[in-house]
Amino acid sequence: MMRALEVFASTSRYAAARAVGGSVPGLALGAMAPLRLVTRERPEPPGPGWAIARPRLSGICGSDLGIITGTTSLYFSALSSMPFVPGHEVVADLLTDCGDVPRGTRVVIDPVLPCAARGLDPCGPCSRAETNRCDRVTVGHLAPGLQTGFCAETGGGWGEQMVVHASQVRAVPDDLPDERAVLLEPLACAVHTARRAAVAPGDSVLVSGAGSVGLLAVLALRRLTEAGRITVVAKHDAQVRLARAFGADDVVRPSSAMSLVRRATRAMRVSSTRSEDGSGAVPAVLARSSLGKGAGAGPFLLGGVDVALDAVGSAASQDTVLRSTRAGGRVVLSGMPSKGADLSPVWFRELEVVGTYASRGDAFEVATRLAADAPLDGLVGGRYPLHRWREALDHAGSAGRLGTVKVTFDARDRS
């Protein structure tokens, strides 16, 4: 038996968390959360190529918070199986041999559960080494689960043990501390994001959001591309400092983002002039603010940046990037979407909208090289034992305001 945090199916808690999540996040991440600390059976390797691992540290990701607070789209409900143990940003010790990787090796986990992990012949994407696009994440000898941490049968990093497939494990260099190693999975995602962004030399780039997704994307963009000016939208003072350290040229608050982009790119700013129902004019002060409600409300640019990246997933953040990108430019959706934005700019400005999910190929190897000398010290700002999960989630939900980038669980700690 082992201890683990477990997400369970509860319609009433899901509805309650969804109802109050935006206004009272403490309740959504605490008493109303469909999460519990349990003693459960240790997961067993489901087939050849699987091994048992013991997590050292596991990060709390925005997608984890979205599941717990009910803000994640129901689209993903078919891609998970309950009850499941969350935790897909994991550094762990192998307790048994895993393919060619011997027991005792410290590893990080590529959480995607593609055909190889499910005992299936490769689907089209998997045969092209595009495992993050696998078409078979609901079948095979595993329960449905787009990733480890969303599958009932694998366990996850928020537990004392989990099972991992040989296709998932990446050995960690001895000189890379756990606090850096636990960032390799989100950093590998950032590497993939930078590649998907296809930034041309000298392109201007806007990154909306300066949490872990946005900051690591800035690092990858600056190190792996020839981007020109990179502008980051950040809410909090600590995020401003970190964004500059990671390679941003300009860092701006959300309320000033469009004005700065307009000046930097010599774009023209225009605003909606009619209300949502077309019955009258929108007051100018409302059109200029983030309070304009309804599709089409608020300002936008004619002109703008070449590439914009949404690292949050909120409607407001998506609006920011869609409305600040030049005609024919590229918008990259990197944050897990929650609510949709107005897509009028996509149609009118012929924007290329690109999604970026997880990672593939050599992204982990590139991330490991970046992590060796990147300014990652201090990014892990909280380590909690499992039984202090309410405190940990509250910290993670307020991470930006508290000056923290990544909060983690240490399942070995029983203090």
Side-chain angles (χ1 to χ4, degrees):
M1 303 295 287
M2 70 170 198
R3 296 187 315 161
L5 289 168
E6 181 181 85
V7 171
F8 60 99
S10 173
T11 302
S12 59
R13 290 202 180 195
Y14 178 84
R18 192 174 180 87
V20 306
S23 56
V24 193
L27 283 177
L29 293 171
M32 291 183 177
L35 185 71
R36 59 196 174 195
L37 180 62
V38 299
T39 300
R40 60 185 277 164
E41 296 288 340
R42 300 175 188 271
E44 293 291 333
W50 286 85
I52 301 172
R54 180 175 57 218
R56 288 171 170 251
L57 294 179
S58 183
I60 301 175
C61 177
S63 60
D64 299 319
L65 296 179
I67 290 287
I68 294 167
T69 58
T71 57
T72 299
S73 168
L74 292 175
Y75 175 95
F76 296 102
S77 62
L79 305 175
S80 60
S81 49
M82 292 190 181
F84 63 78
V85 178
H88 58 275
E89 301 174 354
V90 188
V91 55
D93 295 310
L94 289 179
L95 300 184
T96 58
D97 294 343
C98 188
D100 296 331
V101 184
R103 63 182 298 178
T105 303
R106 189 169 55 119
V107 298
V108 291
I109 311 301
D110 180 349
V112 174
L113 292 167
C115 292
R118 296 178 170 276
L120 301 171
D121 292 333
C123 64
C126 286
S127 67
R128 298 189 294 272
E130 298 171 352
T131 52
N132 61 326
R133 296 178 176 179
C134 177
D135 291 331
R136 303 288 183 260
V137 295
T138 62
V139 294
H141 61 213
L142 280 181
L146 71 167
Q147 292 186 358
T148 292
F150 298 93
C151 175
E153 296 179 358
T154 62
W158 298 9
E160 292 178 328
Q161 286 191 17
M162 58 191 295
V163 292
V164 295
H165 189 261
S167 64
Q168 296 182 289
V169 299
R170 306 287 188 275
V172 177
D174 292 339
D175 58 354
L176 195 68
D178 287 344
E179 290 77 11
R180 284 180 175 250
V182 77
L183 297 170
L184 287 181
E185 192 277 336
L187 185 51
C189 294
V191 169
H192 179 57
T193 293
R195 290 168 169 173
R196 290 280 287 160
V199 176
D203 273 356
S204 56
V205 180
L206 174 67
V207 177
S208 180
S212 61
V213 174
L215 290 171
L216 295 177
V218 171
L219 173 67
L221 287 166
R222 185 52 79 199
R223 295 286 188 93
L224 303 177
T225 77
E226 297 181 56
R229 198 160 201 85
I230 299 177
T231 300
V232 175
V233 181
K235 286 185 176 180
H236 307 288
D237 291 342
Q239 293 176 337
V240 172
R241 294 191 297 272
L242 285 168
R244 290 196 173 111
F246 277 54
D249 298 289
D250 298 310
V251 187
V252 63
R253 305 294 186 179
S255 60
S256 303
M258 196 166 292
S259 295
L260 186 146
V261 171
R262 179 189 63 79
R263 293 193 300 271
T265 63
R266 299 183 178 181
M268 180 182 297
R269 173 173 169 151
V270 294
S271 297
S272 305
T273 59
R274 299 198 64 80
S275 63
E276 185 177 5
D277 61 6
S279 60
V282 174
V285 66
L286 181 60
R288 289 195 299 270
S289 76
S290 61
L291 300 178
K293 297 180 179 180
F300 57 94
L301 299 181
L302 299 179
V305 295
D306 299 302
V307 179
L309 190 152
D310 167 36
V312 180
S314 68
S317 183
Q318 292 169 26
D319 270 331
T320 296
V321 296
L322 290 171
R323 292 163 178 260
S324 301
T325 305
R326 65 166 175 81
R330 182 175 297 104
V331 172
V332 183
L333 303 182
S334 185
M336 187 178 192
S338 54
K339 297 179 180 179
D342 175 25
L343 297 181
S344 299
V346 178
W347 173 77
F348 175 58
R349 307 304 285 162
E350 292 195 338
L351 300 180
E352 180 182 354
V353 179
V354 176
T356 173
Y357 163 68
S359 66
R360 63 173 181 253
D362 67 344
F364 269 85
E365 287 71 24
V366 175
T368 301
R369 292 198 295 271
L370 292 179
D373 64 353
L376 303 180
D377 291 338
L379 261 63
V380 175
R383 294 174 60 160
Y384 292 87
L386 296 177
H387 68 269
R388 291 172 59 192
W389 65 270
R390 289 183 176 88
E391 185 180 351
L393 295 182
D394 185 59
H395 188 170
S398 305
R401 179 174 58 82
L402 297 174
T404 304
V405 176
K406 181 61 63 177
V407 178
T408 62
F409 283 112
D410 184 345
R412 303 164 299 175
D413 185 356
R414 286 180 172 251
S415 61

